[in-house]
Amino acid sequence: MDFQQTVNFLYKQVPVFQNIGASAYKPGLDNTKALDEYFNHPHTFYKTIHVAGTNGKGSVSHTLAAILQSAGYNVGLYTSPHLVDFRERIRVNGQMISKDYVVDFVEKNFDNIKDIKPSFFELTMMMAFCYFKESNVDVAVIEVGLGGRLDSTNIISPEIGVITNISFDHTQFLGKTLEAIAHEKAGIIKKDIPAVIGEAKDNVKNVFLEKSIEVGAPIVFAEENNKITASENKISYWLFQTTELDNLIDELGGECQIKNCNTILNAVDTLKEKGFIIEDKDIYKGFANVVELTGLQGRWQKIGDKPLCFCDTGHNIGGFTYIVEQLKEQNYTTLRIVIGMVNDKDIDAILSILPKDAVYYFTQASVERALSAEKLIAQASEHGLKGKAFNSVEQAYNAAIKDSDVSDFVFVGGSNFIIGDLFNVINNQALKQ
């Protein structure tokens, strides 16, 4: 098989949560432990950093990886989902896993492990762990897929665990309250391993405190050790003043990056205490060059001028709370929003906070989980949102750009899958020019 045939084979042979949702979710670690045994525990051959949370874990994971790369470490990075290319999930020093490795891994191992019946996530995670071992990484940043306690990544014994925040998402699996969700995320907190909590208040904070006491883990609440003394929004990036660093440029835009930055700085301090050698220049370089160093995309990313156009992968109420605040800060004649969502999110909660004065282009991503544009526009109308429905992201995006004057502002978002389709559209248009 070639690379594309191999990826297609994986999609067909093992359940893919990214595409089909709940029916692909396999809680518990039995499968992962069986795979881990078969592959001789590859994650034990290098240090790891574990990152969980409802929102921000992608930005935090990539920025930590960028800082460690800048400090001279050989760094693995495992994240999910991917936007365009399956290989985005598995990187070493920002470079995606090779197509040949993906093909060889499946051809050599699948027949031997098929009786385990791994999920797509379990199998690709183990592929990442093996690839990191063979690449001789010093440290790998591992992003939790869903939850924490029962997530397959939770077999690792990391140097530190980071939990960015708690918001409502995947409530059908993680619980209907913030405390229940926090309990699942807190499952990555382990004995004697420092935990850094980015944002937690009241009962959620108590969940983390109780877990840290239960297992004997040192815990740092970043909000109680706020390192950000001033922040200046430069539209597509941030300029921060911190307690230790002047004029720290964060390449990632978006309101959420203020808290993400504070979480990262607290995590870096904890890594230093664990013996990692990280200098100020490495922090500056990592923050300022995270996209180039790690390949991160879709975090309040500018994709066009005249009209100014941004996209963001935020897809739940927590993420959209930041996006709505970001939109309020923009100057425009008309705000145009291209939006599509998947059918297992709290859609009404998100629609209820979206700006009423925008022109909407409702659409659907090219995955089974996508909510149809017609159903989305019907729900949106109940919240006073007006616009038209389009059968594809390409049609919706092109219509928004065509309708716009140079002084308008276009936002594209609603799910990772909308952004993935958007990047495919942009890439295809670039090839035709």
Side-chain angles (χ1 to χ4, degrees), residues 213-228:
I213 293 170
E214 175 192 336
V215 302
I219 192 165
V220 174
F221 290 98
E223 288 180 310
E224 296 178 0
N225 189 32
N226 185 19
K227 294 176 174 292
I228 310 296

Side-chain angles (χ1 to χ4, degrees), residues 405-423:
D405 292 326
V406 294
S407 59
D408 289 350
F409 188 95
V410 178
F411 172 76
V412 185
S415 78
N416 287 286
F417 315 112
I418 293 293
I419 305 306
D421 284 359
L422 172 69
F423 286 156

Side-chain angles (χ1 to χ4, degrees), residues 149-168:
R149 182 176 65 93
L150 299 177
D151 187 76
S152 57
T153 63
N154 207 27
I155 61 171
I156 65 175
S157 295
E159 298 299 301
I160 70 170
V162 180
I163 302 175
T164 57
N165 56 40
I166 301 298
S167 183
F168 289 105

Side-chain angles (χ1 to χ4, degrees), residues 18 54 70 78 89 121 136 194 252 267 275 316 348 359 398 416:
Q18 175 168 346
T54 305
S70 300
Y78 176 68
R89 296 167 177 258
F121 186 86
N136 296 311
L252 304 180
N316 53 42
D348 281 317
V359 177
N398 287 341
N416 287 286

Side-chain angles (χ1 to χ4, degrees), residues 52-127:
T54 305
N55 295 299
K57 60 182 182 287
S59 297
V60 169
S61 296
H62 283 78
T63 306
L64 283 173
I67 291 169
L68 290 165
Q69 285 172 230
S70 300
Y73 291 95
N74 195 28
V75 183
L77 177 62
Y78 176 68
T79 59
S80 64
H82 63 271
L83 295 177
V84 177
D85 189 330
F86 164 83
R87 299 178 301 142
E88 296 168 28
R89 296 167 177 258
I90 305 169
R91 297 177 184 266
V92 172
N93 294 334
Q95 299 301 307
M96 293 189 292
I97 186 173
S98 71
K99 293 181 178 180
D100 287 344
Y101 189 95
V102 174
V103 173
D104 290 345
F105 181 87
V106 174
E107 288 185 343
K108 290 178 181 177
N109 298 298
F110 190 80
D111 283 344
N112 295 329
I113 62 175
K114 63 184 180 181
D115 289 341
I116 297 173
K117 295 182 171 59
S119 71
F120 181 88
F121 186 86
E122 290 164 340
L123 186 56
T124 55
M125 182 201 73
M126 197 54 60
M127 182 190 300

